[in-house]
Amino acid sequence: MPETFQALVVDRQDTPESQTVSVRQLPWEQLPDGEVLIKVAYSSVNYKDGLASIPTGNIVRSYPMIPGIDLSGTVVSSADPRFREGQEVIATSYAIGVSHFGGYSEYARVSADWVVPLPEGLTLREAMIYGTAGLTAALSIEALERHGAAPDKGSVLVTGATGGVGGAAIAMLAAKGYRVVAGTGRPEESGYLTGLGAAEIISREEVGTGEGKPLDKQLWQAAVDSVGGGPLAAVLSKIAYGGAVAASGLTAGTAVPTTVMPFILRGVSLLGIDSVNCPMELRERVWKRMAGDLKPARLDLLVDREITLNDLPAALQDILKSNTRGRVLVRLG
Ligand SMILES: NC(=O)c1ccc[n+]([C@@H]2O[C@H](COP(=O)([O-])OP(=O)(O)OC[C@H]3O[C@@H](n4cnc5c(N)ncnc54)[C@H](OP(=O)(O)O)[C@@H]3O)[C@@H](O)[C@H]2O)c1
């Protein structure tokens, strides 16, 4: 075992302005407590990781912090009998990369309660092509299907289509046989979106800003929305009778200027999606689906680029400016 390990560290002194983001060599004893020691193979870049890297992000709970809410890797040792040396595993969210050292590190030590065995049918790399964005997309589809969504009931809208959650949702819905409408602010990425499986591409203007009618033309049986804000209000006004929207994000803002009309006149449901504290039973089941019936034939199409620790500071800035497409993979091993 090496005496030190390499990681990306976000640190600050007294003020947010003093924050630094740098690759450092850390002594072994700085790894936090936890039952499972993992040699990290891959991590990924999520919007939340971008926020963790900036002074105003309001994500990191203590400093210094190794960000990275996602990791996949191989168990080096485990004090918990549920895991064994050499086992391939995934760990995402909970306190990871927020108040507990995360995945932008050659090694991670985490609670056994946060660890998911890598399901059969996925590699460690594929697990991080998905990462939290993919898990969130799959949780959204699972919630919509529990509500009654099915491929023969009409189109499903995916907003923020060129983003991580959006791209994964398009690819998984298409793999299940749904007709997918992709809502995007980047029409120049139409080729990419149809490659993922979108049947129709519409602009952000067509999705709407939330300033239109409370009830509009009923266009979609359901929607996967990671954008929030005004666009979520617009989406709710265009969902068909009895349909649902799975809402997971806030890229366009936190305030949703809607009315009760879609809920009380069309029986539309708003389903909240949380990947951070989602119960382990649901998490494991959904990861298995991501390796099975939801797995797209060409998962690699979601990869924007594969980078190393040294490339991370720029990539974290990029995701905050929507300068990434799909998923950025971080290779540690
Ligand atoms: N609830 C959860 O557990 C959970 C889990 C993961 C992520 N999230 C949240 O989900 C959101 C998306 O995450 P992500 O990792 O997919 O981020 P991402 O890769 O940056 O994707 C966000 C996408 O939203 C669209 N967008 C950006 N600014 C917009 C605006 N002002 N109005 C409308 N659309 C806009 C862009 O797509 P187009 O250019 O194609 O429109 C962008 O690519 C974030 O808010 C994140 O915090 C929540």
Side-chain angles (χ1 to χ4, degrees):
M1 202 75 107
E3 282 178 8
T4 60
F5 63 97
Q6 205 174 41
L8 185 87
V9 180
V10 178
D11 204 358
R12 60 167 70 165
Q13 303 308 319
D14 300 332
T15 61
E17 296 70 40
S18 65
Q19 182 159 312
T20 55
V21 181
S22 59
V23 176
R24 286 196 213 160
Q25 206 71 32
L26 297 180
W28 204 239
E29 51 278 12
Q30 282 205 10
L31 272 181
D33 289 343
E35 296 85 26
V36 189
L37 176 63
I38 300 166
K39 182 163 193 336
V40 181
Y42 288 95
S43 183
S44 78
V45 177
N46 293 280
Y47 192 78
K48 194 169 164 184
D49 299 314
L51 291 176
S53 74
I54 56 170
T56 52
N58 211 14
I59 289 290
V60 173
R61 297 282 161 250
S62 57
Y63 296 91
M65 181 52 56
I66 298 175
I69 62 170
D70 289 344
L71 64 94
S72 68
T74 307
V75 174
V76 177
S77 62
S78 174
D80 186 292
R82 285 173 288 177
F83 300 99
R84 58 177 162 69
E85 185 187 336
Q87 185 174 359
E88 294 185 315
V89 293
I90 304 163
T92 66
S93 290
Y94 295 107
I96 298 169
V98 173
S99 56
H100 187 100
F101 280 6
Y104 297 159
S105 177
E106 289 178 309
Y107 288 88
R109 194 185 281 137
V110 298
S111 163
D113 290 340
W114 301 344
V115 180
V116 174
L118 184 75
E120 204 174 307
L122 272 191
T123 63
L124 291 173
R125 184 174 181 277
E126 287 175 330
M128 286 298 106
I129 296 178
Y130 282 132
T132 285
L135 175 62
T136 304
L139 286 168
S140 302
I141 296 168
E142 169 96 0
L144 292 174
E145 289 184 342
R146 262 201 319 268
H147 185 270
D152 61 357
K153 290 188 179 170
S155 302
V156 177
L157 174 73
V158 176
T159 59
T162 66
V165 177
I170 293 170
M172 286 190 246
L173 284 164
K176 281 293 287 180
Y178 285 89
R179 182 179 187 278
V180 186
V181 178
T184 183
R186 286 186 265 183
E188 67 278 12
E189 296 292 358
S190 297
Y192 161 71
L193 295 171
T194 46
L196 290 182
E200 183 186 346
I201 291 152
I202 63 172
S203 66
R204 279 189 202 163
E205 291 69 34
E206 289 171 276
V207 170
T209 57
E211 285 154 15
K213 297 183 257 179
L215 289 178
D216 209 330
K217 207 167 165 194
Q218 300 180 49
L219 297 178
W220 313 295
Q221 65 156 318
V224 174
D225 177 66
S226 62
V227 163
L232 174 53
V235 172
L236 284 164
S237 74
K238 295 175 186 174
I239 294 294
Y241 191 93
V245 179
S248 61
L250 42 70
T251 323
T254 52
V256 184
T258 187
T259 71
V260 295
M261 295 309 192
F263 310 116
I264 66 171
L265 293 183
R266 288 194 180 153
V268 169
S269 295
L270 182 57
L271 311 175
I273 304 300
D274 169 51
S275 64
V276 178
N277 291 304
C278 125
M280 189 46 90
E281 179 272 322
L282 173 62
R283 194 179 285 252
E284 287 191 355
R285 181 154 47 83
V286 167
W287 270 110
K288 280 187 186 146
R289 288 197 68 187
M290 291 156 74
D293 69 316
L294 290 178
K295 188 176 178 186
R298 294 281 317 276
L299 185 58
D300 57 302
L301 288 179
L302 281 172
V303 180
D304 180 39
R305 59 200 130 123
E306 188 168 320
I307 62 172
T308 60
L309 281 181
N310 290 320
D311 309 314
L312 257 171
L316 291 165
Q317 292 294 312
D318 280 346
I319 195 159
L320 293 175
K321 295 185 208 137
S322 287
N323 279 347
T324 58
R325 185 187 81 177
R327 301 277 296 143
V328 175
L329 262 181
V330 187
R331 192 178 59 251
L332 279 307

